[in-house]
Amino acid sequence: MISSSAKLDYQMGYLVVRRDVTTKIHLSEISMLMIESTAVSLTASLLCELVKHKIKVIFCDEKRNPSSELQPYYGSHDTSIKVRKQMKWEDADRKTIWTEIVREKIEKQAEFLEELEKKEAAMLREYITQMEYGDATNREGHAAKVYFNALFGIGFSRSEDNPRNAALNYGYSIFLSAINREIAANGYITQIGLFHDNMFNPFNLASDLMEPWRVLIDRKVFRMRPEVFEHEQKMQVLDVLNDEVILGGKREVVNNALKIYCRSVFDAIEERDISLIRFYKNEL
C-alpha cells in the first residue's frame, strides 16, 4: 500500500518507491498494489510490468477509498477460447454453481454465528435446508438480514454511513479486486457472471465468486469494532489477505486460497461437476 506522496517506477525486476528514502521490492513478492494517495505518480513502464506479472493494481480516490483498478485486456494465453466457452455457459450450469456458492455462503455465516453462540445460527441452518435450485426463494437475502442483525444488532443497516459499514465495504472491495485478478489470470472476463447480470456492473462474475469469502471480512470487522475508519484500520482489513484458511486439507494464505478456489469453480463449470469446487474452511 502506497499511502503518501511518492514516485513509483520500474527497474530490473523491482518496483522502486522513491520518497526521501528509496525502497525496492521485487515484483515476484507482490500480488496486489494499492495506491491510496492521489499524490502518487507512476511510470508507464511500471504499469506494463505490473500487468505482465498479473499484479492487481487498485487506485483510491481523494477520500482514500478504492475507486478503480488496472485490468489487462488479456490475462492468459488462451483468453480468446476461454471467453468463447464463457459465452456458451448453459443457464442450468450457471444456476447449479450459483446454488452451491449461496449454500456455502450461508453455511459460513451460520458457522460464524455458532462460534459467537448466537441463536440465529439455527435459523440460517434452516434456510440451508430450504435452498432451491438457483436460490429461487432468495434464501441468501433472508439469511443476510438475520445474520447482520445477529452480528451488529437489530437496528443495524448496511446503508448507514458509519465506520463499521465503511470497513465492510472496503474489505469487500479488496476481495472483489483480488477475484477479478484471478478471473483475468484464468482467461475469462469479469462482465459475464453466473447469477449477477447487471449491465452497469463490470464485475458480475467476481460479484458471484466472492460471496463465501465475505464472511472473512465480517469476522475481521466484528473483532475490530472500529470507531473510526482511517489508515490504521484499513491496513488491518487489508491484512485479511495474509490470514490462513484450510483448503484441501492444507493451510493456505487467503491470497493463495483465492487462486485455488477460482480455478476450481472454472473447472466445475467447464466439466459440469460441482464436486470440483474447493471451498475454504476456517479449521481442520
Side-chain angles (χ1 to χ4, degrees):
M1 178 180 284
I2 309 298
S3 55
S4 61
S5 177
K7 179 178 180 181
L8 310 185
D9 58 37
Y10 173 77
Q11 188 177 83
M12 299 183 68
Y14 286 85
L15 162 66
V16 183
V17 183
R18 302 186 188 278
R19 295 192 182 108
D20 294 338
V21 177
T22 298
T23 305
K24 293 185 178 182
I25 307 146
H26 200 271
L27 295 186
S28 64
E29 299 178 0
I30 306 171
S31 65
M32 181 182 295
L33 173 65
M34 176 169 284
I35 310 299
E36 192 186 31
S37 171
T38 55
V40 174
S41 61
L42 303 86
T43 63
S45 62
L46 172 62
L47 292 176
C48 288
E49 291 299 324
L50 292 170
V51 168
K52 288 178 185 177
H53 286 78
K54 299 180 180 178
I55 296 170
K56 173 60 64 177
V57 182
I58 302 173
F59 299 96
C60 296
D61 59 21
E62 70 282 357
K63 296 181 180 179
R64 297 179 179 268
N65 293 318
S67 61
S68 61
E69 59 185 47
L70 183 63
Q71 189 80 359
Y73 282 138
Y74 301 102
S76 174
H77 68 283
D78 59 351
T79 292
S80 295
I81 191 170
K82 291 285 185 62
V83 172
R84 289 191 186 99
K85 288 181 179 179
Q86 185 177 1
M87 297 297 291
K88 294 179 181 178
W89 284 348
E90 297 284 346
D91 283 344
D93 295 331
R94 294 171 191 255
K95 288 183 179 179
T96 299
I97 300 293
W98 174 244
T99 305
E100 201 66 16
I101 287 174
V102 171
R103 180 181 288 111
E104 184 66 20
K105 176 186 180 181
I106 300 175
E107 174 74 25
K108 291 287 188 293
Q109 292 174 330
E111 288 176 359
F112 186 27
L113 293 186
E114 285 168 351
E115 290 176 28
L116 300 175
E117 299 182 344
K118 300 283 188 179
K119 65 181 186 302
E120 289 85 354
M123 191 177 296
L124 265 62
R125 293 289 183 193
E126 182 65 21
Y127 286 151
I128 293 173
T129 67
Q130 297 169 357
M131 281 286 296
E132 296 182 8
Y133 175 65
D135 191 24
T137 57
N138 192 27
R139 295 299 91 183
E140 180 197 16
H142 291 292
K145 181 176 178 57
V146 172
Y147 170 72
F148 280 113
N149 285 343
L151 277 187
F152 301 123
I154 297 297
F156 175 76
S157 170
R158 282 286 290 124
S159 62
E160 292 178 355
D161 184 8
N162 56 48
R164 188 164 47 199
N165 272 325
L168 290 171
N169 292 336
Y170 187 84
Y172 296 156
S173 70
I174 297 301
F175 269 103
L176 187 72
S177 293
I179 290 177
N180 280 333
R181 176 192 63 205
E182 299 310 320
I183 292 170
N186 280 278
Y188 298 93
I189 57 176
T190 61
Q191 292 89 341
I192 308 298
L194 302 170
F195 170 77
H196 287 84
D197 189 31
N198 188 327
M199 64 182 291
F200 302 110
N201 181 6
F203 308 126
N204 283 311
L205 185 52
S207 298
D208 293 324
L209 300 188
M210 73 175 287
E211 292 296 350
W213 300 85
R214 290 177 180 269
V215 180
L216 294 181
I217 297 299
D218 303 339
R219 286 172 174 271
K220 179 75 74 171
V221 174
F222 179 82
R223 291 165 181 162
M224 287 171 57
R225 300 184 183 277
E227 296 183 2
V228 296
F229 191 63
E230 298 174 347
H231 179 71
E232 180 182 345
Q233 290 76 30
K234 289 179 180 179
M235 292 300 292
Q236 291 181 55
V237 174
L238 182 60
D239 196 48
V240 74
L241 294 175
N242 295 318
D243 289 346
E244 289 187 340
V245 293
I246 306 301
L247 201 154
K250 298 179 180 178
R251 289 196 175 276
E252 298 281 358
V253 172
V254 168
N255 210 26
N256 191 51
L258 283 170
K259 297 178 182 180
I260 299 170
Y261 161 74
C262 288
R263 283 198 299 267
S264 76
V265 173
F266 298 136
D267 288 342
I269 196 167
E270 296 293 354
E271 299 295 327
R272 309 183 81 173
D273 182 359
I274 61 172
S275 69
L276 296 176
I277 302 178
R278 301 175 67 184
F279 292 113
Y280 74 90
K281 297 180 180 179
N282 292 303
E283 297 294 340
L284 283 169

